[in-house]
C-alpha cells in the first residue's frame, strides 16, 4: 500500500506545489469538489464490481483513497488552472485532460494496479473522467460568474 500512496498521492501533491505557489486558492476550491466526485464514482464502480484497485486484498474504499485524495484532485486542479490562464478553448483542454487521465489509467491497467470486470472498458473509463471534468468545470464557471458578488475571481484579489 505504501507504494500506491507514494505513487498516486504523495507524488501528485508534490507536483501540486507549483499550483500552491501560483494560485493556492484555486487548489483549495477545486481539489475538495474533485475528491468528493472521485469518492462517489470510485465507490459506485467498486460497489458494482466494475473495477478493482490494488492492493486487492484490502477494502476497495481504502485502496482507492490515494487516487481520490491524490492524483484526481491534483490533475483536475491543473486542468482548471490551465483553463483559467490559457487562451486555448476550454472544451479542448477538458478533452485533452480526459484523454491524458484515461491514458494514465491505461498504464495502471497495464501494470495491474487496476483490474476491470463486468464489461467495463477503457472507453467507459474515458466517459467516467469526461463527466466529472465537466462537473468540475461547471462548478468553476459557477464560481467565476461575473454577476456573482462572491465570485471566485473576487476572492483571488
Amino acid at each position: 500500500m505504501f507504494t500506491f500512496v507514494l505513487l498516486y498521492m504523495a507524488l501528485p501533491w508534490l507536483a501540486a506545489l507549483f499550483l500552491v505557489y501560483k494560485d493556492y486558492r484555486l487548489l483549495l476550491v477545486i481539489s475538495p469538489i474533485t475528491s468528493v466526485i472521485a469518492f462517489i464514482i470510485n465507490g459506485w464502480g467498486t460497489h458494482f464490481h466494475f473495477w478493482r484497485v490494488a492492493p486487492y486484498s484490502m477494502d476497495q474504499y481504502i485502496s482507492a483513497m490515494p487516487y481520490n485524495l491524490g492524483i484526481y484532485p491534483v490533475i483536475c486542479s491543473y486542468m482548471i488552472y490551465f483553463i483559467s490562464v490559457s487562451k486555448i478553448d476550454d472544451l479542448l483542454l477538458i478533452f485533452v485532460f480526459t484523454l491524458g487521465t484515461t491514458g494514465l489509467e491505461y498504464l495502471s491497467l497495464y501494470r495491474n494496479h487496476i483490474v476491470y470486470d463486468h464489461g467495463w472498458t477503457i472507453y467507459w473509463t474515458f466517459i467516467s473522467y469526461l463527466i466529472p471534468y465537466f462537473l468540475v468545470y461547471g462548478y468553476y464557471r459557477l464560481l467565476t460568474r461575473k454577476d456573482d458578488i462572491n465570485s471566485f475571481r473576487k476572492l483571488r484579489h
Side-chain angles (χ1 to χ4, degrees):
M1 181 70 180
F2 177 76
T3 303
F4 296 103
V5 169
L6 182 65
L7 189 60
Y8 297 110
M9 196 157 93
L11 288 177
W13 280 106
L14 280 174
L17 289 176
F18 173 79
L19 283 178
V20 170
Y21 172 74
K22 293 302 272 182
D23 195 350
Y24 72 92
R25 289 184 183 111
L26 184 139
L27 192 65
L28 289 174
V29 170
I30 297 302
S31 60
I33 190 69
T34 305
S35 284
V36 168
I37 292 169
F39 272 107
I40 291 168
I41 290 176
N42 278 327
W44 173 82
T46 56
H47 174 76
F48 290 107
H49 307 287
F50 286 120
W51 59 79
R52 290 177 293 131
V53 179
Y56 306 112
S57 60
M58 295 184 75
D59 181 276
Q60 286 297 285
Y61 181 78
I62 302 297
S63 292
M65 224 181 262
Y67 297 88
N68 297 339
L69 296 173
I71 195 165
Y72 297 145
V74 171
I75 287 175
C76 203
S77 295
Y78 267 104
M79 180 189 77
I80 296 299
Y81 173 75
F82 285 122
I83 285 171
S84 72
V85 300
S86 169
K87 296 195 185 296
I88 299 171
D89 183 59
D90 297 355
L91 296 178
L92 178 60
L93 281 171
I94 292 169
F95 182 77
V96 166
F97 271 83
T98 303
L99 251 150
T101 310
T102 304
L104 287 173
E105 179 148 330
Y106 185 78
L107 289 174
S108 292
L109 188 65
Y110 179 77
R111 297 182 65 173
N112 292 318
H113 293 179
I114 298 171
V115 174
Y116 292 163
D117 291 319
H118 299 258
W120 194 264
T121 65
I122 198 72
Y123 303 109
W124 285 115
T125 297
F126 179 85
I127 300 299
S128 78
Y129 286 126
L130 185 64
I131 292 169
Y133 281 156
F134 269 114
L135 288 173
V136 172
Y137 175 72
Y139 177 73
Y140 165 75
R141 296 295 295 173
L142 183 68
L143 291 174
T144 57
R145 289 189 325 204
K146 295 205 185 308
D147 61 339
D148 186 358
I149 197 158
N150 294 317
S151 75
F152 183 67
R153 293 205 191 275
K154 290 180 184 172
L155 289 175
R156 291 176 68 177
H157 299 291

